[in-house]
Amino acid sequence: VCTEALCQGIIRRCRAAGVPVLIDPAAIEDYSKYRGATAITPNRTEAALAVGGKAAAESTPAEHVELARRLRADLDLDAVVITLDRHGALLLERDGQPTPVPTVARQVYDVSGAGDMVLAALAGARAQGLGWLDAVRLANYAAGLEVEVFGVAPIPIERIHREVLSRQRHGPSHSKLRTLEELCVEVAALRTPHNGQGPPTVVFTNGCFDMLHAGHLSLLQRAAALGGEEAFLIVAINADETVKRLKGPGRPVFREADRAALLSGLECVGAVLVFAEQTPERVIQAIRPDVLVKGAEYSIDQVPGAPFVRSYGGRVELLEMVPGQSTTGTVERMRGA
């Protein structure tokens, strides 16, 4: 179907109309029918074949720079994206330097549809105004999710959003820290059915969590258990200024970034959020948790957000505190010593 006459006719008309043309090229030796397109996305083997060479199965991005340069120049392209399996991709723009775009190591099940996903995600990203580098990053994430399912399956955009969030964080201790906007994206992804899997139970709790101790750990583990095996526990912590107002001079002992890092390191915690308001009511209304958890030192009518959660069928649970475990008591003992 994609003869030279058809391809060149489409490319000429699209160029004249300002419409981008993105091509997943065939495994052929002559790419002349693609000349003038906006971009192409060959894999390493296809790129080598098109310029009369042969690519090694495990070659790195740097070894494909000359291939990309030749394709870009010979075909008058705006960008070349060579996909490199576990090595990610190599991007070369018309007036830019070659840029390796790494991917994440995965347990690959089935590569069917990965090339289609790269092209689709790249086109979607460019249509939304992303630059070439961010577009290739997004395409990498989307293709990574595709190879983790059997057969060719659509990947919900919410899952790709969540993948971007989780992979863009730097350092394992802060990988779970989210803004409210990011958290809403993540919760939407969790609640989007995919590959026959039901959504996990979203559990929410909040507090200062200053000087993390055994009582905190027990509360958080029991809170997560309320959601079953697939629970996603969100922990919202008070900002430093709020803790100071609530607890008085000398508090918090640990600043909010440190408290968030410690909580992020707990296996039972899915995400951490810092909020500056006096109560987490706005956060609760935004994420609509399935289960709202507080310590049993409060009554139901004292729990912010409880009426709202119950209004849509959610549960409000009060958990007993561990006797003798409190941050205030610990601080007082340390100061006395």
Side-chain angles (χ1 to χ4, degrees):
V1 174
C2 294
T3 62
E4 182 170 2
L6 178 65
C7 289
Q8 284 297 297
I10 289 172
I11 290 169
R12 283 196 303 272
R13 286 162 174 78
C14 287
R15 283 277 185 181
V19 176
V21 179
L22 276 62
I23 295 174
D24 184 2
I28 55 178
E29 295 180 0
D30 183 6
Y31 275 7
S32 59
K33 65 180 181 180
Y34 303 134
R35 183 172 289 111
T38 307
I40 56 173
T41 62
N43 61 35
R44 68 172 89 233
T45 304
E46 292 165 342
L49 180 63
V51 299
K54 185 176 181 180
E58 291 298 317
S59 47
T60 62
E63 297 174 65
H64 293 83
V65 170
E66 187 55 35
L67 288 180
R69 283 179 172 149
R70 287 185 60 182
L71 288 172
R72 202 223 60 72
D74 292 349
L75 303 177
D76 189 26
L77 303 165
D78 290 347
V80 175
V81 180
I82 301 179
T83 59
L84 303 170
D85 306 315
R86 69 185 184 88
H87 293 294
L90 176 71
L91 166 66
L92 179 65
E93 298 181 57
R94 181 179 293 274
D95 298 316
Q97 295 298 313
T99 305
V101 183
T103 190
V104 178
R106 298 175 184 274
Q107 180 65 51
V108 177
Y109 295 110
D110 187 348
V111 296
S112 302
D116 298 330
M117 182 58 75
V118 166
L119 191 70
L122 195 65
R126 290 293 294 169
Q128 292 297 321
L130 271 68
W132 281 110
L133 182 56
D134 282 338
V136 175
R137 286 173 176 153
L138 185 76
N140 256 354
Y141 292 135
L145 293 172
E146 179 65 44
V147 301
E148 290 185 334
V149 298
F150 289 103
V152 180
I155 305 297
I157 190 64
E158 294 87 355
R159 287 203 68 221
I160 300 174
H161 289 164
R162 188 187 184 208
E163 184 77 1
V164 172
L165 283 178
S166 62
R167 301 299 181 187
Q168 288 298 304
R169 295 295 176 176
H170 300 291
S173 64
H174 290 81
S175 62
K176 298 175 183 177
L177 181 61
R178 301 283 186 264
T179 64
L180 180 56
E181 183 182 18
E182 291 170 339
L183 190 56
C184 288
V185 169
E186 185 148 20
V187 170
L190 291 168
R191 288 173 170 157
T192 302
H194 175 64
N195 207 29
Q197 298 176 346
T201 301
V202 176
V203 182
F204 178 92
T205 192
N206 68 280
C208 297
F209 292 97
D210 195 8
M211 292 191 68
L212 198 63
H213 54 67
H216 288 144
L217 180 60
S218 172
L219 176 73
L220 294 171
Q221 289 175 332
R222 285 180 288 147
L226 290 171
E229 293 184 3
E230 298 300 321
F232 185 77
L233 176 61
I234 298 169
V235 182
I237 63 174
N238 295 94
D240 289 346
E241 284 301 314
T242 311
V243 176
K244 185 176 180 180
R245 288 198 304 269
L246 292 171
K247 302 296 184 180
R251 299 287 296 276
V253 176
F254 293 112
R255 60 193 180 97
E256 60 194 49
D258 295 328
R259 290 182 282 132
L262 289 168
L263 288 165
S264 293
L266 299 181
E267 185 178 359
C268 62
V269 174
V272 179
L273 172 81
V274 179
F275 68 99
E277 297 92 342
Q278 193 72 15
T279 75
E281 189 104 25
R282 183 174 70 94
V283 178
I284 292 169
Q285 291 180 0
I287 65 176
R288 298 173 66 90
D290 302 303
V291 184
L292 174 60
V293 178
K294 282 295 285 184
E297 74 269 31
Y298 298 94
S299 60
I300 292 289
D301 59 359
Q302 293 176 313
V303 178
F308 175 73
V309 172
R310 285 182 160 180
S311 72
Y312 55 80
R315 293 155 47 202
V316 179
E317 301 281 354
L318 302 180
L319 299 182
E320 293 295 332
M321 307 301 288
V322 177
Q325 293 284 348
S326 76
T327 301
T328 300
T330 302
V331 171
E332 288 175 352
R333 288 197 299 273
M334 293 173 67
R335 286 173 176 167

